Amino acid sequence: MAAAWCMPAAADERERAVAEVAQVYERIKIQQPLLQVHHHSSSHQQLAQSLLSDALRALNVALSVMKQQRPSPAPATTPPITSSVVVKAESPRSPSASADSEAIANPTERRPKKRSRSSVMEGNNKTSSSSWVDFTTVPYEDGYEWRKYGEKKINGTSYTRSYFRCTYKDDAGCLATKHVQQKDSSSDPPVFQVTYNNKHTCNNGKLILPFMNIKLEPPVLPPNTLAVQAYSALHDPFDQTMPPSQQEPSSLPVSMQQPCGAATSSTTTSSCISGAESCCDEFPVLDMAQMAAAAEASPGYDLLYEELSLLCDSFKFY
DNA sequence: AGGATTTGACCAGT
DNA sequence: ACTGGTCAAATCCT
């Protein structure tokens, strides 16, 4: 299966599909502020709805491409499409640990365990330490392979917290860790808070989730590909209907152009469409809450909003 | 048999 | 002293 995954042609096609998704995302993101003023201008509303329709069509096509070329079947239990929101964690405490070299060097006795935590942090914290939080109903399906290394009852919570590190920690020295905590809320399905520490450096063949680390340059597409359809579906109608004054994001009010990280200092109000990696590093968020509000205020939006949410969540697993 | 998980203990920070 | 994070022996699973 790994062979199919690595086939250059398939990889190219797939990369293009992913790029398409990223392109759509970027487009929606740029025009997102229009949704905030939809109630003031019917033309804006129409534009936004048209954009969303095109985006959904493009996303559907791109998704088809990705599904066709998916090298291996989904996990035995295909994760349900669920809501997932990522927020930047406020401040990483002392993320991860990789003191195993020391521990492994002296694996004998347990009692005189003089492992130095400071030395552990020296090794990790100085490098590319990062932390972010993901609220999801499928905390164990994020595209990476994890090994559980601990479980703890946390004060003030009803459920234990499980600790995971990257399966390839030893092989590749990957320092990525996460812990999963089920929220106390009696929602159905249950919601889990997943806190990630450190990005994966293992490059273990798992997909880096879309929208992240993808340069949003105009894609170079070969003829007769579904990706072309996706690109056309998104861009042609858009470019034809969009007034010149609205084609450039710079025409938007400055307050609407702030990237995700700068949009707000609050860690709770800044949310991203699902994606385990810290999408806020490079991409502003697509604020689903605002889209939800738009859905409430305008008939027809709700369906688009729902579909878009589902689609975006679907991409999480590719 | 070897890898993954469980679980009680250890450690550092507050 | 308390707590969250991690370790590692014991146990489970394939």
Side-chain angles (χ1 to χ4, degrees), chain A residues 20 78 245:
Chain A
E20 279 307 304
T78 300
S245 63

Side-chain angles (χ1 to χ4, degrees), chain A residues 34-212:
Chain A
L34 293 176
L35 295 175
Q36 299 170 346
V37 296
H38 70 279
H39 51 281
H40 294 306
S41 160
S42 62
S43 64
H44 278 160
Q45 183 173 344
Q46 285 178 354
L47 171 65
Q49 188 154 357
S50 166
L51 174 65
L52 278 174
S53 297
D54 292 339
L56 285 171
R57 194 162 73 246
L59 283 168
N60 260 320
V61 173
L63 183 57
S64 301
V65 172
M66 297 165 97
K67 279 182 174 175
Q68 286 171 10
Q69 292 166 359
R70 193 174 188 175
S72 59
T77 56
T78 300
I81 295 175
T82 59
S83 296
S84 174
V85 174
V86 176
V87 298
K88 268 283 192 185
E90 44 282 352
S91 67
R93 243 192 75 175
S94 57
S96 86
S98 78
D100 289 21
S101 57
E102 184 177 341
I104 292 172
N106 302 308
T108 49
E109 299 125 30
R110 178 182 176 85
R111 289 297 156 240
K113 192 166 64 173
K114 293 301 177 185
R115 180 175 51 91
S116 166
R117 177 160 295 200
S118 58
S119 65
V120 171
M121 289 186 287
E122 280 176 24
N124 300 343
N125 243 356
K126 288 179 180 176
T127 57
S128 58
S129 167
S130 60
S131 174
W132 64 99
V133 180
D134 183 9
F135 293 94
T136 178
T137 57
V138 283
Y140 309 110
E141 302 283 354
D142 56 13
Y144 289 101
E145 294 180 42
W146 301 95
R147 175 174 299 177
K148 187 175 182 178
Y149 67 87
E151 187 173 304
K152 194 82 174 179
K153 177 76 176 71
I154 302 301
N155 252 7
T157 63
S158 307
Y159 304 95
T160 58
R161 174 180 297 176
S162 297
Y163 296 86
F164 301 85
R165 67 166 60 97
C166 178
T167 297
Y168 303 95
K169 174 178 180 291
D170 295 331
D171 295 342
C174 182
L175 300 179
T177 65
K178 73 172 181 181
H179 61 251
V180 175
Q181 175 84 57
Q182 180 174 346
K183 305 299 286 183
D184 290 338
S185 65
S186 57
S187 58
D188 183 37
V191 174
F192 297 83
Q193 175 179 331
V194 185
T195 302
Y196 295 88
N197 290 313
N198 298 321
K199 295 180 178 179
H200 283 268
T201 58
C202 50
N203 192 22
N204 62 6
K206 294 296 173 182
L207 174 66
I208 301 301
L209 295 167
F211 316 138
M212 279 48 99

Side-chain angles (χ1 to χ4, degrees), chain A residues 22-40:
Chain A
Q23 189 81 18
V24 170
Y25 175 78
E26 177 71 3
R27 207 71 181 216
I28 295 173
K29 172 208 68 185
I30 290 173
Q31 299 302 330
Q32 172 207 337
L34 293 176
L35 295 175
Q36 299 170 346
V37 296
H38 70 279
H39 51 281
H40 294 306

